[in-house]
Amino acid sequence: MPNDMILLLGVNHKTTPLAVREQLACGKGYEEPLHALRNIPGCKECYLLSTCNRVEIVVVAQKNAQVEEDIAKLLFGTSVAPEQRQDYLYVYRNNEAVHHLFMVSTSLDSMIVGEAQILGQLKEAYRHAAELKYTGPVLNKLLHKSFSVAKRVRSETQIGASAVSISYAAVELAKKIFGTLENKNVLLIGAGEMAELAAEHLVSQGVRKVVVANRTLSRAMDLAKRFNGTAVSLDELFSQLEQADIVISSTGAPNIILHKQDVQPIMRTRRNEPIFFIDIAVPRDLDPELNNLDNVYLYDIDDLHNVVETNKSERDKEAVKARRIVDEETLKFQNWIDGLSVVPTITALRKKADDICRAELERTLCRLQHLTADEQKAIEKMASAISSKLLHDPVSFLKNENCKEQNEVKVEMIRAAFGLEDKD
Amino acid sequence: MGETSYLLFLMVLTASCMALIFYGIFFVKQKKSVRTLARFTLLTAGVLQTLYILFRYLQTGYTPITSQHETIVFFAWSVTWAYLSFQWRYTVKNFGTFISLLLFILLLLAAGASRTINPLPPALQSWWLPVHAGIAVISYAFLALAFCGGIMYLLQERELKSKRFGYFFTRLPSLDSLDQLNSHCLATGFVLLTLGIISGSIWARQAWGAYWQWDPKETWSLITWFLYAAQIHQRFTAGWRGKRAAIMAVIGFTAVLFTLWGVTFLLGGVHSYAQ
């Protein structure tokens, strides 16, 4: 490893506008760019991640500046002038590269911190590179580590726990009221885009029926068709309220369309079945007083925004914890990398043999109390002679200068065969 | 024998305390492994309680539901097993934490009460004792579960209505599951309570010669019964649920507690055997 480095180059949503990201040569498909990467002189292992928010390349390569230049050329292709690349591109080496990869896998570098999608994309990208056998001992270890770091962050922090978009917040609240959303009915009042978005999330949770009530019936029918629901006119609103469990209102009406005194008798017919009103219209459609009725829950757009904001600040607290985990794991990985060079491996090997000798000698000698001091010394000598003769071959195999470029493989092999892996 | 019995009781107390600690940790940390540990500990506590009650039965020669200490232990035992039988069918998130808290408080009260064994008064020497007292106390256990569920409902409902989500919001289950819990426990508890009162009345006819004699305990049992009857009636006719049902479960349980202890200490009457 001493002559190699881990190199990470990439662009993401923070550094590069979508228009540029779309133009990137590596943006589509995996195989071709991976082949091209592998063919760059000095590149030993390579891997490529390409999602809609980022394109990142990680290679293990010889320490020289040309490799970096070649990869950048490959990444941007002809779409970006070389002098402009520096504005978009970020380059990390060794420790920093490891740290960045962990930040990505744990979603700390994502647009929405805490999202789980990136881990799946990372695994997919790794699968492509591994199938082509373009990953070696270092990248294999590094990527597997990045998966386990992501898992650790997920189980030790609450980073992915809370909803950070309005639609998700609405679903989360509905679940706290109803438990499961299966066999619940959704009523959309007004057929705006926001209502559509919110309804989409609810439908993905398996609600039973969607009813759309709108002033113009044709628009209602269009929307109802999307969700396999039914369309009704606004005049039927009250009778529909008797069956609905979740009501999303988003009309352009200038005044309140549903008052407390309208809903009160409906609650009696509903036998107090709970009902959840979501008012995303501005100005508001629903009487704020509704929330004071028993078994009626009303959230308007500001309330939902507040929920999202609280969740965000909660999540930021968790992100601090997650960063600490990433730092910790980066350090651990660095220790592993350091162990990959020949000298520490030989030291570790000798230490292990010495430890075993000492332990075994102690056990044997205390049972053989009648031996003289000289005899004891002789036995000790024999033990250390056996161990050093046994070690002679593996050590000279490691020291062999003839196949230096395969040092990592050799070191990995010896470490695994003699159980020198650090337990983490 | 007294020593062994005391030792068993200490074990019951320890196991329940451990269960409370584990459930408490689970409540804060929300780790599944801790929950498994907590459930196992509570099950152990339940088994130990059973052993203690059996042991006490052998020791005294009658069903141990007469003195304050015995009644509370039997109450705790019923709560534990009512909860375990309930949990076996379906789980309500973090319900165990509240139950184990109630359980530990009950057992602490039992620890404070005198454990001396009094000779059984002649009036109680009947096989009606386990039937009547047993059923009544078990019904209280189910009503206690409804009470805990009601408290949880009120906490969660307040968070949802005020739109300010504190510590409890993520840790408490959905309103719907708590309302179902209320309905189930209420139904079971009410049937048992009715049976308890009927069996008591038949026993009273045999022992005292009249089905009903307006003894304070009887009166208060009847008041409790009416409270729950009204609640059930309203739930099935007018669809009383949610917050109102939760409040009623809390009020009903206060009446239960008064019937169980308040009457004995404040009002006296023929039911007050255990002093």
Side-chain angles (χ1 to χ4, degrees), chain B residues 72-261:
Chain B
I72 304 172
V73 170
F74 193 80
F75 191 13
W77 175 84
S78 315
V79 169
T80 313
W81 286 101
Y83 169 69
L84 288 172
S85 72
F86 193 83
Q87 186 211 35
W88 182 63
R89 273 175 298 169
Y90 62 95
T91 46
V92 175
K93 195 179 176 188
N94 282 327
F95 191 34
T97 311
F98 287 76
I99 292 298
S100 57
L101 180 63
L102 175 73
L103 193 65
F104 187 63
I105 293 174
L106 283 177
L107 287 169
L108 273 187
L109 288 175
S114 155
R115 290 181 309 107
T116 40
I117 297 165
N118 303 314
L120 195 64
L124 292 185
Q125 290 171 12
S126 155
W127 56 270
W128 279 108
L129 170 66
V131 175
H132 166 63
I135 292 178
V137 175
I138 292 173
S139 83
Y140 293 171
F142 276 96
L143 299 173
L145 294 194
F147 164 76
C148 282
I151 297 276
M152 287 166 81
Y153 188 99
L154 293 176
L155 285 173
Q156 183 71 310
E157 205 251 8
R158 209 185 53 173
E159 304 242 314
L160 271 166
K161 281 275 189 196
S162 70
K163 298 166 188 177
R164 270 193 298 276
F165 305 117
Y167 192 68
F168 287 111
F169 183 68
T170 48
R171 287 176 171 77
L172 289 179
S174 67
L175 292 181
D176 182 67
S177 62
L178 287 171
D179 195 47
Q180 270 182 35
L181 175 96
N182 177 298
S183 142
H184 282 252
C185 292
L186 195 62
T188 320
F190 183 71
V191 169
L192 289 171
L193 184 66
T194 315
L195 286 178
I197 291 176
I198 293 173
S199 64
S201 155
I202 299 171
W203 186 15
R205 167 86 177 135
Q206 286 181 359
W208 302 324
Y211 286 112
W212 200 266
Q213 47 187 347
W214 300 106
D215 165 65
K217 196 121 186 168
E218 292 176 356
T219 315
W220 274 94
S221 295
L222 197 65
I223 293 172
T224 313
W225 187 86
F226 271 116
L227 275 173
Y228 281 109
Q231 203 173 326
I232 286 203
H233 175 265
Q234 286 302 94
R235 186 181 265 278
F236 285 103
T237 55
W240 267 29
R241 65 176 88 226
K243 190 177 178 183
R244 222 176 280 183
I247 292 174
M248 284 302 285
V250 174
I251 294 176
F253 190 66
T254 3
V256 165
L257 289 183
F258 189 76
T259 315
L260 193 58
W261 288 311

Side-chain angles (χ1 to χ4, degrees), chain A residues 124-144:
Chain A
E124 170 79 11
Y126 171 60
R127 198 175 54 77
H128 282 287
E131 270 174 8
L132 293 169
K133 298 211 166 35
Y134 286 171
T135 56
V138 177
L139 279 192
N140 282 337
K141 176 87 175 181
L142 176 60
L143 286 157
H144 279 295

Side-chain angles (χ1 to χ4, degrees), chain A residues 67-276:
Chain A
V67 178
E68 240 177 87
E69 190 58 39
D70 289 346
I71 295 174
K73 214 181 282 171
L74 181 76
L75 176 64
F76 286 105
T78 52
S79 60
V80 180
E83 53 274 15
Q84 271 188 312
R85 285 179 198 158
Q86 298 315 317
D87 301 344
Y88 303 133
L89 187 69
Y90 48 85
V91 181
Y92 296 110
R93 293 172 199 90
N94 295 327
N95 247 355
E96 286 177 352
V98 173
H99 189 264
H100 181 79
L101 189 68
F102 289 173
M103 290 293 275
V104 171
S105 78
T106 52
S107 86
L108 289 170
D109 198 52
S110 295
M111 198 187 253
I112 298 171
V113 175
E115 54 112 357
Q117 222 181 357
I118 184 67
L119 187 58
Q121 291 164 336
L122 213 65
K123 283 182 176 168
E124 170 79 11
Y126 171 60
R127 198 175 54 77
H128 282 287
E131 270 174 8
L132 293 169
K133 298 211 166 35
Y134 286 171
T135 56
V138 177
L139 279 192
N140 282 337
K141 176 87 175 181
L142 176 60
L143 286 157
H144 279 295
K145 199 73 213 167
S146 77
F147 305 152
S148 69
V149 175
K151 208 169 156 201
R152 193 180 151 203
V153 163
R154 222 144 256 284
S155 65
E156 288 180 24
T157 71
Q158 302 277 319
I159 197 160
S162 44
V164 287
S165 79
I166 287 189
S167 308
Y168 274 119
V171 168
E172 191 189 35
L173 286 167
K175 277 188 177 162
K176 275 293 177 199
I177 297 170
F178 299 111
T180 165
L181 299 189
E182 283 163 33
N183 71 44
K184 294 287 174 275
N185 301 328
V186 176
L187 171 64
L188 303 179
I189 310 176
E193 219 169 284
M194 282 286 270
E196 196 176 333
L197 201 67
E200 221 163 68
H201 277 293
L202 287 168
V203 168
S204 71
Q205 298 292 323
V207 296
R208 183 169 56 193
K209 203 174 85 183
V210 178
V211 177
V212 185
N214 199 32
R215 202 156 40 84
T216 51
L217 200 60
S218 64
R219 173 79 185 113
M221 280 166 81
D222 287 348
L223 193 58
K225 215 156 123 199
R226 267 205 61 196
F227 301 117
N228 264 333
T230 43
V232 297
S233 81
L234 265 184
D235 305 331
E236 290 171 79
L237 183 60
F238 287 176
S239 66
Q240 285 299 330
L241 278 176
E242 285 168 14
Q243 271 122 48
D245 299 296
I246 300 166
V247 180
I248 303 172
S249 187
S250 62
T251 69
N255 297 317
I256 283 172
I257 58 167
L258 204 59
H259 288 90
K260 187 181 173 189
Q261 52 268 32
D262 302 326
V263 177
Q264 215 156 13
I266 292 170
M267 286 313 283
R268 226 167 288 135
T269 10
R270 292 173 58 84
R271 295 167 49 79
N272 291 313
E273 285 277 359
I275 187 164
F276 180 28

